[in-house]
Amino acid sequence: MSRLTIGLTGGIASGKTLVGDAFVALGVPVLDADQVARDVVAPGEPALALIAEAFGADALAADGTLDRRRMRERVFGNPDELRRLEAITHPAIRRRMRHWRDAQTTPYCMLSVAILVEAPKMRELVDRVLVVDVPVATQMARLTARDTVDETLARQMIAAQASREQRLAAADDVIVNDASVEQTLITVRTLHERYLREIENSR
């Protein structure tokens, strides 16, 4: 098992994927909770059967996979339905992430979790929190350009997550990603070297 587990998080359009990929390029194992969330509802997985049982057969597409669009429409703006869905998926996601984390043998590994701050049980899986931070105005600009969404929807998407202030309050380390990609990569490399030094010094 790795000696240190870093929780990587950040608001939508903050550059979390860029940072995660940069750590991977340095040889750090990174597991993305979004991918795990897709894996645990694949056909044949227990969570998918539980979703069909809780939400009805129309939660599934004709081919037996999860009808993601229909489920998004059903839970978006409906906190009770969202909680019901998360009560099924989150324990399965946490189990799979914990199993992956415990199998790692590098000095440290990383769990990339968008809702790390909002989900205390996810937070329990990591030793430190690394936040990728950008101003809200930058998030807005990136969302409207990247996802071609209008300003109203962009604001709703940002508001649906923990606030920038909440993420920064939970952070042990911060990468400010509002300059060039090159600068962000330099910051990642600096942090990587610092983590390795701290692990070595703690032996």
Side-chain angles (χ1 to χ4, degrees):
M1 182 175 170
S2 297
R3 292 172 60 84
L4 181 68
T5 304
I6 307 293
L8 175 65
T9 194
I12 190 167
S14 63
K16 187 160 57 71
T17 301
L18 168 68
V19 169
D21 288 348
F23 276 102
V24 169
L26 293 170
V28 180
V30 178
L31 182 63
D32 188 342
D34 289 343
Q35 181 59 53
V36 178
R38 289 188 288 272
D39 292 344
V40 300
V41 295
E45 291 290 336
L48 185 63
L50 291 172
I51 290 170
E53 185 181 314
F55 291 91
D58 62 351
L60 303 183
D63 63 357
T65 60
L66 182 68
D67 191 330
R68 295 179 182 282
R69 181 169 182 171
R70 184 174 296 217
M71 288 304 298
R72 268 198 304 269
E73 291 170 352
R74 189 161 174 175
V75 304
F76 190 75
N78 189 328
D80 289 339
E81 292 284 79
L82 179 60
R83 275 194 292 271
R84 196 151 67 106
L85 178 62
E86 289 178 343
I88 295 170
T89 58
H90 281 195
I93 293 168
R94 287 196 302 271
R95 276 195 301 273
R96 192 160 294 200
M97 295 187 82
R98 186 181 297 110
H99 180 76
W100 178 90
R101 178 200 66 185
D102 293 349
Q104 303 310 304
T105 57
T106 51
Y108 75 96
C109 64
M110 193 167 280
L111 300 178
S112 178
V113 186
I115 59 167
L116 189 66
V117 173
E118 298 94 316
K121 289 185 178 179
M122 293 285 189
R123 173 68 180 85
E124 291 170 6
L125 295 175
V126 305
D127 302 305
R128 294 176 73 92
V129 175
L130 170 58
V131 169
V132 184
D133 180 56
V134 294
V136 173
T138 303
Q139 286 180 277
M140 290 285 296
R142 289 177 180 172
L143 273 175
T144 52
R146 181 191 73 183
D147 296 349
T148 61
V149 300
D150 61 32
E151 189 172 317
T152 300
L153 180 56
R155 289 192 186 281
Q156 289 175 339
M157 293 167 76
I158 292 169
Q161 297 186 313
S163 70
R164 184 186 185 194
E165 290 75 21
Q166 287 171 317
R167 280 192 298 274
L168 290 174
D172 295 294
D173 306 295
V174 177
I175 291 178
V176 180
N177 183 40
D178 64 352
S180 67
V181 171
E182 290 74 18
Q183 184 56 52
T184 297
L185 297 181
I186 290 169
T187 306
V188 166
R189 200 173 304 115
T190 301
L191 258 183
H192 173 63
E193 291 167 357
R194 197 184 93 203
Y195 290 149
L196 292 178
R197 279 198 308 274
E198 290 178 0
I199 291 165
E200 185 61 33
N201 292 339
S202 69
R203 288 183 186 275

